[in-house]
Amino acid sequence: MTDARAINDLRTRFQADLAQSSTSRELQTVRDRYLGRKGGVIATLMKEVASAPANERPALGRLANELKRDIDLAIRERRTETGVGGQATSTVDVSLPGRGAVIGSRHPLTALREQIETIFARMGFTALEGPEIEDEYHNFEALNMPRDHPARDMQDTLYLAESLEPSAAPGPHNQPRTLLRTHTSGMQIRYMEEHEPPIRIIAPGPVYRRDNLDVTHTPMFHQIEGLLVGEGVTMADLKGTLEAFLRELFDPDTKVLFRPSFFPYTEPSAEVFIGCLFCDGAGCNVCKKTGWLEILGSGMVHAAVFEAVGYDPERYTGWAFGLGIERVAMLKYRVDDIRLFYENDLRFLEQFPA
Ligand code: DAH
């Protein structure tokens, strides 16, 4: 038979026993005496509670459980205090090899951007970054795309809400609007406004467009802009530099094709293709049976762009290009869904050179 007083007596006895124990072994002995499964003080108490009259059982059960919990806690605390730790019943196998640290790596888009920066750095180009929130002037107007220029439709623009009023209303368009830059080309303007030729820069960074997510589109992606300006710069310089770049980026034997195109800020303009990496020019699904893959847009800087930044177009000439980093990564690594770059699935990310 047991009652509340008997349980209280056990508590007092335990406290006295604990007070006399400090070594790991002593503490373990106290623990076994009270909490041991067979014949331990608490185990015996629990049996007595079980055979107590039904009306006393819940209250006694609660007291017994509290005592059990307090004993367990008190012994743990004592071990920590005395520094004997919780190792009394477990051992450390010092012969086991240690756990290796998991080493992270750069994101494939970052690694590719750095590779491209390195190639251009060797040719004397400095890399710099600019604002992602841009104004209409730098993103469009100074690049020879006045408002209502049809070429603006090539890039679905995300405007910032606070800049939409009142100029969003029909009527004279004279209020400057802010937007998320649709391309890195505005960096040409920003740099030329602050510097005189000769210029050799590249400008990598995120750009934004009102596109829905699918296998080739994300509303945010990355571009690298290039700009070279000086006296006597010709289209042959553009061709030679971009060819050297593409052969280093892909393969020394890469075939490079320049095809006439149109951009408002270059004249003449060229789209640059490389021989298809997957069928070697024979024609496959990736190159849509053409044997060529489009890699970048480029051209000779338009005189109107030079005029916008106060350069004399009779004195200076230059060329520019822009490429999409995700597009290059997809071709180089044969990734067929752009969204994979943003899902952060380690099984995907671990496959790339760091
Ligand atoms: N801005 C163009 C785009 O986003 C790419 C481009 C084309 C940049 C021709 C240039 C260029 O500098 O000369 O598609």
Side-chain angles (χ1 to χ4, degrees), residues 137 140-146 149 188-189 192-193 262-267 300-314 316-318:
Y137 177 76
F140 290 126
E141 253 140 71
L143 289 164
N144 200 25
M145 279 184 278
H149 191 293
Q188 296 183 31
I189 305 301
M192 288 190 285
E193 280 174 342
F262 173 80
F263 300 102
Y265 30 95
T266 45
E267 179 58 36
M300 300 303 291
V301 178
H302 199 291
V305 173
F306 282 149
E307 273 157 15
V309 296
Y311 285 8
D312 175 2
E314 295 296 325
Y316 295 117
T317 48

mmCIF file of all heavy atoms in Angstrom, residues 137 140-146 149 188-189 192-193 262-267 300-314 316-318:
data_model
loop_
_atom_site.group_PDB
_atom_site.id
_atom_site.type_symbol
_atom_site.label_atom_id
_atom_site.label_comp_id
_atom_site.label_asym_id
_atom_site.label_seq_id
_atom_site.Cartn_x
_atom_site.Cartn_y
_atom_site.Cartn_z
ATOM 1 N N TYR A 137 14.379 56.590 -69.811
ATOM 2 C CA TYR A 137 15.372 57.238 -70.651
ATOM 3 C C TYR A 137 16.541 56.299 -70.928
ATOM 4 O O TYR A 137 16.925 56.097 -72.087
ATOM 5 C CB TYR A 137 15.868 58.530 -69.972
ATOM 6 C CG TYR A 137 16.966 59.197 -70.781
ATOM 7 C CD1 TYR A 137 16.650 59.917 -71.932
ATOM 8 C CD2 TYR A 137 18.307 59.063 -70.417
ATOM 9 C CE1 TYR A 137 17.638 60.502 -72.698
ATOM 10 C CE2 TYR A 137 19.307 59.652 -71.176
ATOM 11 C CZ TYR A 137 18.975 60.368 -72.316
ATOM 12 O OH TYR A 137 19.962 60.931 -73.082
ATOM 13 N N PHE A 140 15.294 52.895 -72.743
ATOM 14 C CA PHE A 140 14.717 52.995 -74.089
ATOM 15 C C PHE A 140 15.155 54.242 -74.877
ATOM 16 O O PHE A 140 15.755 54.125 -75.934
ATOM 17 C CB PHE A 140 13.179 52.997 -74.011
ATOM 18 C CG PHE A 140 12.574 51.678 -73.613
ATOM 19 C CD1 PHE A 140 11.697 51.606 -72.535
ATOM 20 C CD2 PHE A 140 12.846 50.515 -74.317
ATOM 21 C CE1 PHE A 140 11.110 50.393 -72.173
ATOM 22 C CE2 PHE A 140 12.268 49.302 -73.960
ATOM 23 C CZ PHE A 140 11.401 49.241 -72.878
ATOM 24 N N GLU A 141 14.789 55.411 -74.332
ATOM 25 C CA GLU A 141 14.911 56.620 -75.137
ATOM 26 C C GLU A 141 16.321 56.888 -75.671
ATOM 27 O O GLU A 141 16.513 57.103 -76.864
ATOM 28 C CB GLU A 141 14.433 57.835 -74.344
ATOM 29 C CG GLU A 141 13.098 58.336 -74.827
ATOM 30 C CD GLU A 141 12.191 58.750 -73.684
ATOM 31 O OE1 GLU A 141 12.482 59.785 -73.061
ATOM 32 O OE2 GLU A 141 11.227 58.017 -73.424
ATOM 33 N N ALA A 142 17.300 56.836 -74.784
ATOM 34 C CA ALA A 142 18.672 57.135 -75.205
ATOM 35 C C ALA A 142 19.206 56.041 -76.123
ATOM 36 O O ALA A 142 20.225 56.226 -76.792
ATOM 37 C CB ALA A 142 19.573 57.297 -73.974
ATOM 38 N N LEU A 143 18.518 54.898 -76.151
ATOM 39 C CA LEU A 143 18.921 53.818 -77.049
ATOM 40 C C LEU A 143 18.131 53.883 -78.360
ATOM 41 O O LEU A 143 17.916 52.875 -79.025
ATOM 42 C CB LEU A 143 18.717 52.456 -76.372
ATOM 43 C CG LEU A 143 19.710 52.146 -75.241
ATOM 44 C CD1 LEU A 143 19.200 50.994 -74.385
ATOM 45 C CD2 LEU A 143 21.095 51.820 -75.808
ATOM 46 N N ASN A 144 17.701 55.106 -78.672
ATOM 47 C CA ASN A 144 17.028 55.316 -79.957
ATOM 48 C C ASN A 144 15.671 54.615 -80.038
ATOM 49 O O ASN A 144 15.245 54.209 -81.106
ATOM 50 C CB ASN A 144 17.946 54.856 -81.106
ATOM 51 C CG ASN A 144 17.566 55.460 -82.438
ATOM 52 O OD1 ASN A 144 16.962 56.542 -82.481
ATOM 53 N ND2 ASN A 144 17.893 54.775 -83.524
ATOM 54 N N MET A 145 15.012 54.480 -78.867
ATOM 55 C CA MET A 145 13.661 53.928 -78.850
ATOM 56 C C MET A 145 12.722 54.901 -78.144
ATOM 57 O O MET A 145 12.417 54.742 -76.975
ATOM 58 C CB MET A 145 13.631 52.588 -78.104
ATOM 59 C CG MET A 145 14.079 51.412 -78.936
ATOM 60 S SD MET A 145 13.909 49.883 -78.012
ATOM 61 C CE MET A 145 15.399 49.941 -77.051
ATOM 62 N N PRO A 146 12.289 55.956 -78.872
ATOM 63 C CA PRO A 146 11.351 56.887 -78.250
ATOM 64 C C PRO A 146 10.044 56.178 -77.890
ATOM 65 O O PRO A 146 9.791 55.074 -78.373
ATOM 66 C CB PRO A 146 11.115 57.933 -79.347
ATOM 67 C CG PRO A 146 11.581 57.310 -80.613
ATOM 68 C CD PRO A 146 12.570 56.250 -80.271
ATOM 69 N N HIS A 149 7.828 53.805 -80.048
ATOM 70 C CA HIS A 149 8.627 53.078 -81.037
ATOM 71 C C HIS A 149 8.200 51.606 -81.002
ATOM 72 O O HIS A 149 8.129 51.001 -79.931
ATOM 73 C CB HIS A 149 10.112 53.201 -80.684
ATOM 74 C CG HIS A 149 11.027 52.719 -81.780
ATOM 75 N ND1 HIS A 149 11.087 51.400 -82.145
ATOM 76 C CD2 HIS A 149 11.901 53.383 -82.591
ATOM 77 C CE1 HIS A 149 11.969 51.271 -83.141
ATOM 78 N NE2 HIS A 149 12.471 52.464 -83.423
ATOM 79 N N GLN A 188 25.121 50.791 -71.385
ATOM 80 C CA GLN A 188 25.939 51.502 -72.382
ATOM 81 C C GLN A 188 25.813 53.005 -72.144
ATOM 82 O O GLN A 188 26.806 53.725 -72.112
ATOM 83 C CB GLN A 188 25.441 51.199 -73.806
ATOM 84 C CG GLN A 188 25.576 49.752 -74.238
ATOM 85 C CD GLN A 188 25.123 49.594 -75.689
ATOM 86 O OE1 GLN A 188 25.252 50.517 -76.495
ATOM 87 N NE2 GLN A 188 24.595 48.430 -76.032
ATOM 88 N N ILE A 189 24.546 53.448 -72.005
ATOM 89 C CA ILE A 189 24.289 54.880 -71.818
ATOM 90 C C ILE A 189 24.909 55.360 -70.504
ATOM 91 O O ILE A 189 25.624 56.367 -70.462
ATOM 92 C CB ILE A 189 22.763 55.151 -71.806
ATOM 93 C CG1 ILE A 189 22.118 54.603 -73.077
ATOM 94 C CG2 ILE A 189 22.487 56.648 -71.630
ATOM 95 C CD1 ILE A 189 22.661 55.172 -74.364
ATOM 96 N N MET A 192 28.693 55.602 -70.809
ATOM 97 C CA MET A 192 29.194 56.658 -71.708
ATOM 98 C C MET A 192 28.905 58.054 -71.167
ATOM 99 O O MET A 192 29.655 58.992 -71.426
ATOM 100 C CB MET A 192 28.609 56.481 -73.120
ATOM 101 C CG MET A 192 29.223 55.282 -73.844
ATOM 102 S SD MET A 192 28.801 55.190 -75.606
ATOM 103 C CE MET A 192 27.115 54.636 -75.564
ATOM 104 N N GLU A 193 27.800 58.195 -70.395
ATOM 105 C CA GLU A 193 27.503 59.502 -69.785
ATOM 106 C C GLU A 193 28.624 59.947 -68.846
ATOM 107 O O GLU A 193 28.855 61.128 -68.664
ATOM 108 C CB GLU A 193 26.192 59.416 -68.973
ATOM 109 C CG GLU A 193 24.945 59.499 -69.835
ATOM 110 C CD GLU A 193 23.666 59.267 -69.014
ATOM 111 O OE1 GLU A 193 23.731 58.724 -67.897
ATOM 112 O OE2 GLU A 193 22.591 59.619 -69.508
ATOM 113 N N PHE A 262 18.052 43.501 -86.814
ATOM 114 C CA PHE A 262 17.706 44.886 -86.497
ATOM 115 C C PHE A 262 17.619 45.120 -84.996
ATOM 116 O O PHE A 262 16.961 44.373 -84.278
ATOM 117 C CB PHE A 262 16.363 45.281 -87.123
ATOM 118 C CG PHE A 262 15.925 46.645 -86.672
ATOM 119 C CD1 PHE A 262 16.456 47.784 -87.249
ATOM 120 C CD2 PHE A 262 15.033 46.797 -85.605
ATOM 121 C CE1 PHE A 262 16.095 49.048 -86.807
ATOM 122 C CE2 PHE A 262 14.669 48.068 -85.153
ATOM 123 C CZ PHE A 262 15.202 49.182 -85.755
ATOM 124 N N PHE A 263 18.332 46.126 -84.524
ATOM 125 C CA PHE A 263 18.137 46.671 -83.178
ATOM 126 C C PHE A 263 18.196 48.184 -83.343
ATOM 127 O O PHE A 263 19.026 48.687 -84.118
ATOM 128 C CB PHE A 263 19.243 46.209 -82.216
ATOM 129 C CG PHE A 263 19.311 44.708 -82.060
ATOM 130 C CD1 PHE A 263 20.289 43.969 -82.722
ATOM 131 C CD2 PHE A 263 18.391 44.038 -81.254
ATOM 132 C CE1 PHE A 263 20.349 42.593 -82.596
ATOM 133 C CE2 PHE A 263 18.454 42.653 -81.124
ATOM 134 C CZ PHE A 263 19.434 41.931 -81.794
ATOM 135 N N PRO A 264 17.344 48.932 -82.630
ATOM 136 C CA PRO A 264 17.305 50.388 -82.831
ATOM 137 C C PRO A 264 18.610 51.066 -82.450
ATOM 138 O O PRO A 264 18.899 52.161 -82.941
ATOM 139 C CB PRO A 264 16.176 50.849 -81.893
ATOM 140 C CG PRO A 264 15.376 49.629 -81.597
ATOM 141 C CD PRO A 264 16.315 48.472 -81.687
ATOM 142 N N TYR A 265 19.393 50.434 -81.576
ATOM 143 C CA TYR A 265 20.594 51.105 -81.055
ATOM 144 C C TYR A 265 21.860 50.687 -81.783
ATOM 145 O O TYR A 265 22.959 51.062 -81.379
ATOM 146 C CB TYR A 265 20.723 50.867 -79.545
ATOM 147 C CG TYR A 265 20.130 49.548 -79.079
ATOM 148 C CD1 TYR A 265 20.915 48.413 -78.942
ATOM 149 C CD2 TYR A 265 18.769 49.460 -78.804
ATOM 150 C CE1 TYR A 265 20.345 47.212 -78.542
ATOM 151 C CE2 TYR A 265 18.192 48.266 -78.405
ATOM 152 C CZ TYR A 265 18.984 47.146 -78.275
ATOM 153 O OH TYR A 265 18.413 45.959 -77.899
ATOM 154 N N THR A 266 21.745 49.857 -82.822
ATOM 155 C CA THR A 266 22.921 49.514 -83.627
ATOM 156 C C THR A 266 22.595 49.627 -85.109
ATOM 157 O O THR A 266 21.461 49.405 -85.535
ATOM 158 C CB THR A 266 23.401 48.065 -83.338
ATOM 159 O OG1 THR A 266 22.266 47.195 -83.316
ATOM 160 C CG2 THR A 266 24.144 47.975 -82.022
ATOM 161 N N GLU A 267 23.612 49.993 -85.876
ATOM 162 C CA GLU A 267 23.437 50.061 -87.334
ATOM 163 C C GLU A 267 24.804 49.926 -87.995
ATOM 164 O O GLU A 267 25.645 50.802 -87.785
ATOM 165 C CB GLU A 267 22.775 51.383 -87.723
ATOM 166 C CG GLU A 267 22.579 51.552 -89.219
ATOM 167 C CD GLU A 267 21.745 50.435 -89.840
ATOM 168 O OE1 GLU A 267 20.799 49.962 -89.185
ATOM 169 O OE2 GLU A 267 22.073 50.024 -90.962
ATOM 170 N N MET A 300 27.024 47.700 -84.719
ATOM 171 C CA MET A 300 27.808 48.920 -84.569
ATOM 172 C C MET A 300 26.920 49.972 -83.889
ATOM 173 O O MET A 300 25.790 50.196 -84.332
ATOM 174 C CB MET A 300 28.276 49.430 -85.936
ATOM 175 C CG MET A 300 29.149 48.452 -86.714
ATOM 176 S SD MET A 300 30.628 47.932 -85.807
ATOM 177 C CE MET A 300 31.580 49.464 -85.810
ATOM 178 N N VAL A 301 27.445 50.604 -82.853
ATOM 179 C CA VAL A 301 26.641 51.559 -82.079
ATOM 180 C C VAL A 301 26.056 52.640 -83.004
ATOM 181 O O VAL A 301 26.778 53.251 -83.805
ATOM 182 C CB VAL A 301 27.487 52.205 -80.964
ATOM 183 C CG1 VAL A 301 26.648 53.233 -80.187
ATOM 184 C CG2 VAL A 301 28.041 51.143 -80.016
ATOM 185 N N HIS A 302 24.747 52.852 -82.897
ATOM 186 C CA HIS A 302 24.027 53.806 -83.743
ATOM 187 C C HIS A 302 24.463 55.246 -83.417
ATOM 188 O O HIS A 302 24.669 55.586 -82.243
ATOM 189 C CB HIS A 302 22.529 53.658 -83.475
ATOM 190 C CG HIS A 302 21.671 54.223 -84.553
ATOM 191 N ND1 HIS A 302 21.569 55.576 -84.800
ATOM 192 C CD2 HIS A 302 20.860 53.611 -85.464
ATOM 193 C CE1 HIS A 302 20.737 55.775 -85.800
ATOM 194 N NE2 HIS A 302 20.288 54.591 -86.224
ATOM 195 N N ALA A 303 24.557 56.063 -84.457
ATOM 196 C CA ALA A 303 24.969 57.462 -84.254
ATOM 197 C C ALA A 303 24.046 58.176 -83.265
ATOM 198 O O ALA A 303 24.498 59.016 -82.463
ATOM 199 C CB ALA A 303 24.979 58.194 -85.599
ATOM 200 N N ALA A 304 22.756 57.827 -83.278
ATOM 201 C CA ALA A 304 21.805 58.487 -82.367
ATOM 202 C C ALA A 304 22.148 58.199 -80.901
ATOM 203 O O ALA A 304 21.905 59.027 -80.017
ATOM 204 C CB ALA A 304 20.383 58.014 -82.675
ATOM 205 N N VAL A 305 22.717 57.028 -80.640
ATOM 206 C CA VAL A 305 23.112 56.669 -79.271
ATOM 207 C C VAL A 305 24.301 57.527 -78.841
ATOM 208 O O VAL A 305 24.334 58.066 -77.729
ATOM 209 C CB VAL A 305 23.435 55.160 -79.175
ATOM 210 C CG1 VAL A 305 24.010 54.801 -77.804
ATOM 211 C CG2 VAL A 305 22.199 54.321 -79.480
ATOM 212 N N PHE A 306 25.263 57.685 -79.743
ATOM 213 C CA PHE A 306 26.417 58.544 -79.435
ATOM 214 C C PHE A 306 25.964 59.982 -79.189
ATOM 215 O O PHE A 306 26.446 60.662 -78.286
ATOM 216 C CB PHE A 306 27.444 58.511 -80.574
ATOM 217 C CG PHE A 306 28.292 57.263 -80.564
ATOM 218 C CD1 PHE A 306 28.790 56.734 -81.754
ATOM 219 C CD2 PHE A 306 28.624 56.629 -79.366
ATOM 220 C CE1 PHE A 306 29.593 55.598 -81.755
ATOM 221 C CE2 PHE A 306 29.429 55.488 -79.354
ATOM 222 C CZ PHE A 306 29.914 54.972 -80.555
ATOM 223 N N GLU A 307 25.003 60.438 -79.999
ATOM 224 C CA GLU A 307 24.526 61.811 -79.821
ATOM 225 C C GLU A 307 23.848 61.982 -78.467
ATOM 226 O O GLU A 307 24.002 63.004 -77.801
ATOM 227 C CB GLU A 307 23.585 62.202 -80.962
ATOM 228 C CG GLU A 307 24.375 62.766 -82.139
ATOM 229 C CD GLU A 307 23.655 62.664 -83.475
ATOM 230 O OE1 GLU A 307 22.420 62.417 -83.483
ATOM 231 O OE2 GLU A 307 24.326 62.823 -84.523
ATOM 232 N N ALA A 308 23.122 60.951 -78.032
ATOM 233 C CA ALA A 308 22.421 61.030 -76.738
ATOM 234 C C ALA A 308 23.392 61.212 -75.575
ATOM 235 O O ALA A 308 23.054 61.799 -74.557
ATOM 236 C CB ALA A 308 21.565 59.778 -76.518
ATOM 237 N N VAL A 309 24.623 60.698 -75.723
ATOM 238 C CA VAL A 309 25.583 60.825 -74.619
ATOM 239 C C VAL A 309 26.622 61.913 -74.893
ATOM 240 O O VAL A 309 27.600 62.056 -74.157
ATOM 241 C CB VAL A 309 26.302 59.478 -74.323
ATOM 242 C CG1 VAL A 309 25.297 58.444 -73.848
ATOM 243 C CG2 VAL A 309 27.085 58.980 -75.531
ATOM 244 N N GLY A 310 26.406 62.666 -75.975
ATOM 245 C CA GLY A 310 27.299 63.778 -76.264
ATOM 246 C C GLY A 310 28.610 63.400 -76.929
ATOM 247 O O GLY A 310 29.573 64.160 -76.872
ATOM 248 N N TYR A 311 28.679 62.232 -77.563
ATOM 249 C CA TYR A 311 29.879 61.868 -78.327
ATOM 250 C C TYR A 311 29.697 62.330 -79.776
ATOM 251 O O TYR A 311 28.585 62.299 -80.289
ATOM 252 C CB TYR A 311 30.072 60.343 -78.375
ATOM 253 C CG TYR A 311 30.565 59.679 -77.125
ATOM 254 C CD1 TYR A 311 30.696 60.351 -75.917
ATOM 255 C CD2 TYR A 311 30.898 58.318 -77.170
ATOM 256 C CE1 TYR A 311 31.138 59.697 -74.781
ATOM 257 C CE2 TYR A 311 31.342 57.656 -76.040
ATOM 258 C CZ TYR A 311 31.456 58.347 -74.846
ATOM 259 O OH TYR A 311 31.873 57.685 -73.745
ATOM 260 N N ASP A 312 30.804 62.639 -80.415
ATOM 261 C CA ASP A 312 30.750 63.022 -81.818
ATOM 262 C C ASP A 312 30.808 61.760 -82.680
ATOM 263 O O ASP A 312 31.851 61.094 -82.752
ATOM 264 C CB ASP A 312 31.953 63.935 -82.121
ATOM 265 C CG ASP A 312 32.042 64.301 -83.606
ATOM 266 O OD1 ASP A 312 31.147 63.882 -84.387
ATOM 267 O OD2 ASP A 312 33.010 64.989 -83.975
ATOM 268 N N PRO A 313 29.690 61.420 -83.377
ATOM 269 C CA PRO A 313 29.662 60.180 -84.164
ATOM 270 C C PRO A 313 30.579 60.209 -85.385
ATOM 271 O O PRO A 313 30.835 59.177 -85.990
ATOM 272 C CB PRO A 313 28.192 60.029 -84.577
ATOM 273 C CG PRO A 313 27.554 61.342 -84.338
ATOM 274 C CD PRO A 313 28.419 62.149 -83.422
ATOM 275 N N GLU A 314 31.062 61.431 -85.730
ATOM 276 C CA GLU A 314 32.029 61.506 -86.829
ATOM 277 C C GLU A 314 33.412 61.065 -86.349
ATOM 278 O O GLU A 314 34.248 60.627 -87.132
ATOM 279 C CB GLU A 314 32.131 62.943 -87.355
ATOM 280 C CG GLU A 314 30.851 63.470 -87.998
ATOM 281 C CD GLU A 314 30.490 62.672 -89.248
ATOM 282 O OE1 GLU A 314 31.417 62.246 -89.976
ATOM 283 O OE2 GLU A 314 29.278 62.459 -89.485
ATOM 284 N N TYR A 316 33.972 59.074 -83.268
ATOM 285 C CA TYR A 316 34.015 57.765 -82.608
ATOM 286 C C TYR A 316 33.125 56.737 -83.282
ATOM 287 O O TYR A 316 32.047 57.059 -83.788
ATOM 288 C CB TYR A 316 33.575 57.897 -81.144
ATOM 289 C CG TYR A 316 34.514 58.737 -80.325
ATOM 290 C CD1 TYR A 316 34.079 59.932 -79.755
ATOM 291 C CD2 TYR A 316 35.836 58.342 -80.129
ATOM 292 C CE1 TYR A 316 34.938 60.713 -78.999
ATOM 293 C CE2 TYR A 316 36.702 59.124 -79.383
ATOM 294 C CZ TYR A 316 36.249 60.312 -78.817
ATOM 295 O OH TYR A 316 37.105 61.074 -78.088
ATOM 296 N N THR A 317 33.574 55.503 -83.270
ATOM 297 C CA THR A 317 32.724 54.379 -83.661
ATOM 298 C C THR A 317 32.866 53.315 -82.585
ATOM 299 O O THR A 317 33.793 53.344 -81.784
ATOM 300 C CB THR A 317 33.129 53.777 -85.028
ATOM 301 O OG1 THR A 317 34.553 53.565 -85.035
ATOM 302 C CG2 THR A 317 32.737 54.686 -86.177
ATOM 303 N N GLY A 318 31.941 52.373 -82.590
ATOM 304 C CA GLY A 318 32.021 51.329 -81.571
ATOM 305 C C GLY A 318 31.054 50.205 -81.871
ATOM 306 O O GLY A 318 30.251 50.291 -82.806
#
